């Protein structure tokens, strides 16, 4: 099925003589039927603006535009893709804004005037977790984005949706599930990409809830969860000590055994601990 008048992605790449760069996690999607599916996983795109990280040769970008997105703001670090993306813009005038920039330095707050913002991306895996953590920790909640449809390496996707008591449960699970609803929406084999990577991939859907599941000061929660899981083999009384010298007392008054480890605490426990720390600091 043709979704636009542009040549196939394979032809576009061949014509431009571009070779995928490992350093930029370049594993491309060629199948526009597949990118159409990914683009529409979380419902209609009409009236939405989409932030896309790493459009590359544009398979997902074209699917988003063909699906009726009002505008795609695409951030690409590799300058070689800019002319290819400009050709897409010609077919969809004024609906594709191409920004040549490192996504890690892009200020999401600059988009705070946009309503109904979605982030949809086949992420560069080498910076995927870092980007997600930034998006999950905005200064104000609810965040600028409403929902995200993001491709990750399967192991990372499993960590985002992991429940307490499972092996994959950790910092990513807590940061994501504290204030968002998350699910794996699609699994993809390595062969879906070119060049074929060594890993399997999954698309995760993340919806920002209006309010967190449990009350907690985000700065305190983020700090203790990070310290706890940075030293996940250690008991909480040691892993959290550098953040708070009175941690043994605080754990006791939160009803949490100081000999437990980070992975033993549910999201509710972590929020309870963050509240006790806040009260302790205030008193
Ligand atoms: N969206 C395309 C697709 O699905 O075929 C390409 C996805 S590829 C996995 C990742 C893309 O992210 C590449 O185009 C790569 O150049 C780009 N990229 C890598 N690091 C980046 C960064 N720091 N900032 C912006 N783009 C980056």
């Amino acid at each position: 099925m043709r979704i636009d008048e542009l040549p196939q992605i394979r032809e576009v790449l061949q014509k431009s003589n571009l070779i995928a760069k490992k350093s930029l996690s370049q594993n491309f999607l060629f199948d526009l039927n597949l990118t159409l599916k990914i683009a529409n996983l979380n419902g209609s795109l009409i009236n939405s603006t989409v932030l896309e990280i790493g459009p590359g040769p544009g398979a997902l970008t074209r699917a988003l535009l063909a699906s009726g997105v009002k505008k795609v703001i695409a951030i690409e670090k590799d300058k070689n893709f800019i002319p290819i993306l400009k050709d897409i813009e010609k077919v969809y005038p004024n609906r594709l804004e191409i920004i040549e920039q490192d996504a890690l330095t892009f200020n999401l707050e600059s988009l705070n005037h946009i309503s109904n913002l979605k982030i949809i991306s086949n992420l560069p895996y080498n910076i995927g977790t870092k980007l997600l953590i930034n998006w999950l920790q905005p200064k104000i909640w609810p965040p600028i984005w409403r929902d995200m449809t993001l491709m990750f390496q399967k192991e990372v996707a499993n960590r985002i949706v992991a429940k307490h008591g499972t092996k994959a449960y950790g910092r990513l699970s807590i940061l994501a599930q504290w204030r968002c609803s998350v699910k794996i929406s699609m699994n993809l084999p390595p062969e879906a990409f070119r060049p074929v990577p060594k890993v399997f991939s999954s698309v995760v859907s993340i919806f920002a809830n209006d309010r967190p599941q449990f009350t907690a000061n985000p700065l305190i929660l983020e700090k203790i969860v990070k310290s706890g899981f940075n030293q996940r083999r250690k008991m909480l009384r040691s892993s959290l000590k550098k953040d708070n010298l009175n941690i043994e007392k605080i754990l006791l008054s939160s009803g949490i055994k100081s000999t437990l480890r980070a992975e033993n605490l549910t999201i509710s426990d972590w929020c309870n601990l963050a509240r006790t720390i806040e009260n302790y600091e205030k008193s």
Side-chain angles (χ1 to χ4, degrees), residues 129-227:
T129 308
K130 205 165 183 184
L131 287 170
L132 176 66
I133 287 180
N134 289 343
W135 295 331
L136 290 172
Q137 302 182 121
K139 285 198 191 98
I140 299 169
W141 196 270
I144 294 165
W145 51 270
R146 272 209 178 169
D147 57 70
M148 309 198 266
T149 310
L150 304 173
M151 179 97 70
F152 290 97
Q153 188 173 330
K154 192 167 192 273
E155 285 70 23
V156 177
N158 286 343
R159 280 162 48 205
I160 297 167
V161 304
K163 294 287 168 220
H164 174 248
T166 64
K167 223 172 134 192
Y169 176 75
R171 182 178 173 217
L172 264 190
S173 335
I174 296 160
L175 292 184
Q177 296 169 41
W178 174 47
R179 299 189 280 197
C180 302
S181 306
V182 299
K183 65 173 182 192
I184 291 187
S185 300
M186 192 190 267
N187 291 306
L188 289 95
E191 296 72 36
F193 303 85
R194 291 289 180 275
V196 178
K198 289 198 177 78
V199 296
F200 281 74
S201 298
S202 301
V203 179
V204 185
S205 300
I206 302 177
F207 306 90
N209 297 333
D210 288 342
R211 274 180 299 281
Q213 255 192 84
F214 311 98
T215 314
N217 176 323
L219 296 178
I220 299 177
L221 180 70
E222 285 151 12
K223 193 164 92 174
I224 57 175
V225 168
K226 187 173 182 189
S227 302

Side-chain angles (χ1 to χ4, degrees), residues 24-29 52 54-56 76-77 102-103 122 124 127:
L24 290 178
S25 297
Q26 293 181 346
N27 297 94
F28 306 118
L29 293 167
E52 187 194 359
E76 176 55 63
K77 187 173 177 183
D102 182 338
N122 172 14
I127 57 164

Side-chain angles (χ1 to χ4, degrees), residues 9 21 23-30 35 38 52-61 75-79 81 99-105 120-127 131 151 193-194:
I9 298 287
K21 296 186 182 80
S23 60
L24 290 178
S25 297
Q26 293 181 346
N27 297 94
F28 306 118
L29 293 167
F30 280 11
T35 55
I38 297 169
E52 187 194 359
I53 304 301
L60 184 56
T61 320
I75 303 185
E76 176 55 63
K77 187 173 177 183
D78 188 341
K79 66 175 183 335
F81 291 120
I99 302 177
E100 187 190 329
Q101 190 177 337
D102 182 338
L104 287 172
T105 66
I120 304 182
S121 167
N122 172 14
L123 289 171
Y125 290 173
N126 58 349
I127 57 164
L131 287 170
M151 179 97 70
F193 303 85
R194 291 289 180 275

Side-chain angles (χ1 to χ4, degrees), residues 96-119:
L96 174 59
E97 183 179 342
I98 307 156
I99 302 177
E100 187 190 329
Q101 190 177 337
D102 182 338
L104 287 172
T105 66
F106 180 74
N107 177 15
L108 192 61
E109 303 285 326
S110 66
L111 305 183
N112 66 5
H113 56 287
I114 296 173
S115 58
N116 210 357
L117 179 74
K118 293 167 178 282
I119 306 180

Side-chain angles (χ1 to χ4, degrees), residues 6-65:
L6 291 154
Q8 298 295 319
I9 298 287
R10 189 185 306 274
E11 291 169 40
V12 173
L13 282 173
Q14 267 166 5
K15 206 172 136 208
S16 321
N17 254 336
L18 289 178
I19 295 168
K21 296 186 182 80
K22 235 184 178 170
S23 60
L24 290 178
S25 297
Q26 293 181 346
N27 297 94
F28 306 118
L29 293 167
F30 280 11
D31 180 352
L32 296 176
N33 288 319
L34 176 62
T35 55
L36 268 181
K37 237 189 217 168
I38 297 169
N40 289 280
L41 276 172
N42 290 338
S44 167
L45 294 169
I46 309 283
N47 289 328
S48 316
T49 299
V50 171
L51 173 68
E52 187 194 359
I53 304 301
L60 184 56
T61 320
R62 284 163 61 174
L64 291 165
L65 290 161

